[in-house]
Amino acid sequence: MSSPPRRKSIDAHAREHGERAIEVLADIMDNTAEETKDRIRAAEAILDRGHGKASQAIIAIPAQQRQRQAAALYTDAIIDAEWEAIERRALPAPANDPILE
């Protein structure tokens, strides 16, 4: 039994058309009749291909820590809301309160 024919990978197909794709992008970038947004996008694609995309920082917070932070924020919000409610309901102290003197 013969093995099934191997298909080219997507990467291999992309590499076959890479030079032509760069030429098309360069033509778009250089063509003043093209819309500015299209020319910019073509230039970005060329720069990304030639120099790599700009690095992006990713900050990963472990799930347990995220849960603790969320719970703390939620708890703080509840406490703040409760204090505000208490302050709104509070009556002013009597003018001659011996405790306050």
Side-chain angles (χ1 to χ4, degrees):
M1 230 180 179
S2 65
S3 60
R6 293 190 69 185
R7 287 197 207 176
K8 286 185 181 178
S9 71
I10 293 174
D11 290 344
H13 281 294
R15 279 191 291 278
E16 284 180 11
H17 298 288
E19 186 175 331
R20 189 167 58 93
I22 295 294
E23 289 171 2
V24 169
L25 289 169
D27 289 344
I28 292 169
M29 181 183 69
D30 293 337
N31 186 348
T32 56
E34 295 285 347
E35 289 191 37
T36 303
K37 66 178 177 64
D38 295 330
R39 295 178 67 208
I40 291 170
R41 183 62 197 113
E44 288 173 341
I46 291 170
L47 289 173
D48 288 348
R49 177 75 172 123
H51 298 285
K53 290 191 177 197
S55 298
Q56 296 181 6
I58 298 174
I59 301 171
I61 299 174
Q64 290 179 341
Q65 184 177 350
R66 284 195 309 261
Q67 290 168 346
R68 283 194 303 271
Q69 289 174 338
L73 291 172
Y74 180 71
T75 303
D76 288 347
I78 290 173
I79 291 169
D80 291 345
E82 288 175 351
W83 273 114
E84 289 173 11
I86 290 168
E87 289 172 345
R88 283 194 304 270
R89 290 191 306 260
L91 298 173
N96 56 359
D97 188 338
I99 297 175
L100 296 176
E101 293 178 353

